[in-house]
């Protein structure tokens, strides 16, 4: 008996009666006196046999194999994702470098200003066709990379890479630790951390490494936050050779202050009271001890309150200052140069504001 392999493999794609029979697939052809039946089975271009044969050829063709097609689609999706991610990171790096906010008040599709991040991404798309094809409305719904959580993840990734670069530049050298605590606008206690070290070229470098949220400003909380930072960045406290803080009791306390707790672990981490803080405290004490100087600062604060409460009075003071600067420049009484003689605003003298009493 004779069978047809093509029809046997793909007979399920056709219905009985559409030129499809079970003679060459199940029963077998045995009527050799009517060989013309074989030619009739093959039929014309669109016959069941020829369609089945084409299915078989496609199946044996590796270029049309489902795995090959999926790999091609996966490669293209990977390329598109890389372009989208690169464009997003370019926007993030620019905003971080310039110190600009990311989000806007209204980031909906109908908004005229969707925030710096989305608007900058749109700007890149408008000037690069490759970027335009894979971002914002042309990106998959779950891969736009514009959600607030995604923006925060990208910022944290940039911060992590920046700190790694700083740690690599330190190259295992001795370093000092500068710490100060303050509250942010949301009234959360935060600890700012700075590393000070000497690089390979012999230059003294100070690098801001981040702001650590602390539950309170007790010495134990600050010490725990520092230990967490050192552990995360794989730094050893034995390489610490200096620590600089302000004069608060929780920082320089002799019994349980932050500097004392660190000295217990590393006696070579010498404590230095911040010189700028010392100078400011000394100037404030002198100013309060002299009646004329104290009266001067009191008058300055009153002047700031009066002028600052009115936009009209601010404009009058600004115009008068501009006239005085112009006259002084014409008479060569003021030096000229880049960054000099800029317009400034009034600031109230404070006990902890550097240069306010200098």
């Amino acid at each position: 008996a004779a069978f047809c392999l093509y029809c046997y493999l793909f007979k399920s794609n056709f219905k009985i009666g559409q030129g499809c029979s079970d003679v060459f697939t199940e029963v077998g052809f045995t009527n050799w006196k009517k060989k013309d039946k074989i030619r009739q089975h093959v039929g014309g271009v669109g016959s069941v046999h020829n369609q089945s044969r084409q299915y078989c050829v496609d199946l044996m063709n590796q270029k049309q194999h489902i795995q090959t097609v999926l790999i091609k689609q996966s490669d293209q999706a990977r390329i598109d994702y890389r372009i989208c991610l690169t464009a997003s990171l370019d926007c993030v790096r620019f905003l971080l470098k310039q110190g600009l906010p990311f989000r806007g008040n209204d980031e909906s599709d109908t908004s005229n200003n969707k925030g710096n991040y989305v608007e900058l991404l749109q700007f890149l798309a408008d000037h690069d066709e490759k970027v335009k094809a894979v971002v914002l409305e042309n990106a998959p719904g779950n891969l736009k990379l514009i959600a607030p959580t995604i923006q925060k993840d990208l910022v944290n990734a940039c911060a992590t890479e920046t700190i790694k670069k700083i740690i690599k530049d330190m190259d295992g050298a001795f370093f000092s630790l500068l710490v100060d605590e303050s509250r942010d606008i949301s009234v959360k206690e935060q600890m700012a951390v700075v590393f000070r070290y000497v690089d390979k070229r012999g230059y003294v470098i100070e690098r801001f490494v981040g702001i650590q949220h602390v539950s309170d400003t007790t010495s134990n909380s600050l010490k725990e936050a520092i230990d967490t930072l050192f552990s995360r960045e794989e730094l050893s406290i034995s390489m610490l050779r200096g620590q600089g803080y302000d004069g608060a009791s929780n920082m320089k306390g002799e019994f349980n202050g932050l500097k004392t707790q660190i000295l217990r672990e590393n006696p070579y981490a010498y404590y230095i009271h911040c010189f700028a803080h010392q100078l400011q405290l000394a100037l404030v004490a002198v100013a309060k001890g002299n009646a004329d100087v104290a009266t001067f600062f009191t008058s300055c604060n009153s002047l700031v309150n009066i002028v600052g409460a009115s936009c009209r009075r601010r404009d009058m003071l600004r115009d008068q200052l501009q006239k005085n600067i112009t006259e002084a420049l014409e008479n060569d009484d003021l030096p000229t140069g880049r960054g000099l003689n800029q317009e400034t605003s009034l600031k109230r003298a404070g006990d902890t504001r550097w240069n306010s009493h200098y």
Side-chain angles (χ1 to χ4, degrees):
F3 294 88
C4 178
L5 177 62
Y6 298 145
C7 295
Y8 177 79
L9 292 175
F10 297 99
K11 66 177 181 180
S12 60
N13 294 351
F14 305 95
K15 294 181 179 179
I16 301 297
Q18 295 180 343
C20 177
S21 65
D22 58 359
V23 175
F24 288 89
T25 58
E26 296 182 5
V27 178
F29 178 76
T30 58
N31 191 0
W32 298 106
K33 294 181 179 180
K34 297 182 180 181
K35 298 179 182 180
D36 293 340
K37 292 291 185 180
I38 298 177
R39 188 175 292 106
Q40 293 178 8
H41 169 74
V42 174
V45 177
S47 67
V48 172
H49 172 82
N50 285 321
Q51 291 184 51
S52 300
R53 180 179 177 275
Q54 186 61 45
Y55 286 144
C56 185
V57 172
D58 293 341
L59 177 64
M60 300 302 293
N61 187 357
Q62 291 296 322
K63 293 183 179 180
Q64 294 184 354
H65 196 278
I66 184 63
Q67 184 177 0
T68 304
V69 175
L70 288 176
I71 291 175
K72 289 182 178 179
Q73 292 179 349
S74 300
D75 290 341
Q76 186 60 42
R78 190 180 298 110
I79 294 173
D80 293 345
Y81 175 73
R82 184 177 293 274
I83 294 175
C84 181
L85 180 60
T86 301
S88 300
L89 285 174
D90 288 341
C91 297
V92 169
R93 285 198 295 254
F94 177 81
L95 295 176
L96 290 176
K97 183 178 180 181
Q98 299 302 120
L100 298 174
F102 278 61
R103 304 195 57 195
N105 294 327
D106 183 7
E107 296 183 359
S108 62
D109 295 336
T110 58
S111 175
N112 293 326
N113 188 346
K114 302 177 183 178
N116 291 332
Y117 175 78
V118 178
E119 293 293 339
L120 185 57
L121 190 60
Q122 183 65 58
F123 178 83
L124 289 179
D126 294 339
H127 292 77
D128 192 326
E129 293 297 328
K130 291 183 178 180
V131 175
K132 184 177 182 179
V134 296
V135 301
L136 299 177
E137 65 273 3
N138 294 326
N142 60 345
L143 200 59
K144 294 181 180 294
L145 300 183
I146 59 175
T149 54
I150 299 297
Q151 296 181 33
K152 291 181 180 179
D153 289 341
L154 293 176
V155 171
N156 291 331
C158 290
T160 301
E161 292 300 319
T162 302
I163 294 178
K164 286 182 179 179
K165 181 65 176 178
I166 295 174
I167 301 302
K168 183 179 179 180
D169 187 54
M170 292 170 61
D171 195 25
F174 297 122
F175 64 96
S176 297
L177 176 69
L178 306 179
V179 174
D180 195 10
E181 75 279 356
S182 64
R183 294 182 179 181
D184 63 3
I185 193 172
S186 60
V187 197
K188 290 184 178 180
E189 293 289 352
Q190 293 183 331
M191 179 184 69
V193 181
V194 175
F195 287 160
R196 180 182 174 93
Y197 61 95
V198 179
D199 64 5
K200 298 178 181 179
R201 297 175 298 174
Y203 293 106
V204 178
I205 305 295
E206 288 187 357
R207 296 297 186 196
F208 171 74
V209 296
I211 295 178
Q212 190 83 10
H213 174 67
V214 291
S215 56
D216 53 60
T217 57
T218 61
S219 59
N220 292 331
S221 296
L222 298 178
K223 179 61 168 59
E224 182 179 351
I226 292 174
D227 289 340
T228 302
L229 174 64
F230 276 42
S231 176
R232 184 175 67 246
E233 305 304 333
E234 298 181 354
L235 294 173
S236 175
I237 199 170
S238 62
M239 303 300 294
L240 193 63
R241 288 298 180 268
Q243 43 181 331
Y245 321 120
D246 57 21
S249 59
N250 63 330
M251 307 298 275
K252 72 168 188 177
E254 293 295 336
F255 297 101
N256 201 33
L258 178 61
K259 67 115 175 180
T260 303
Q261 294 191 35
I262 292 180
L263 283 172
R264 290 171 184 168
E265 297 185 26
N266 182 7
Y268 301 105
Y270 298 104
Y271 166 73
I272 298 176
H273 187 178
C274 175
F275 287 159
H277 190 258
Q278 291 186 63
L279 177 60
Q280 177 68 14
L281 294 178
L283 291 174
V284 171
V286 171
K288 292 180 178 179
N290 187 296
D292 294 334
V293 177
T295 302
F296 168 76
F297 280 106
T298 301
S299 301
C300 287
N301 288 334
S302 299
L303 179 63
V304 171
N305 293 334
I306 294 173
V307 175
S310 171
C311 295
R312 181 171 176 271
R313 286 192 287 266
R314 281 178 177 268
D315 292 337
M316 293 174 59
L317 180 62
R318 189 180 295 110
D319 293 340
Q320 185 60 43
L321 178 62
Q322 186 66 31
K323 292 180 181 179
N324 295 340
I325 292 178
T326 302
E327 293 177 0
L329 291 175
E330 292 175 351
N331 298 329
D332 293 332
D333 293 335
L334 285 177
T336 58
R338 184 177 182 180
L340 298 179
N341 309 315
Q342 298 293 317
E343 181 179 311
T344 59
S345 60
L346 294 175
K347 294 183 180 180
R348 185 177 292 100
D351 291 349
T352 58
R353 176 175 291 134
W354 314 138
N355 296 332
S356 64
H357 288 66
Y358 179 67

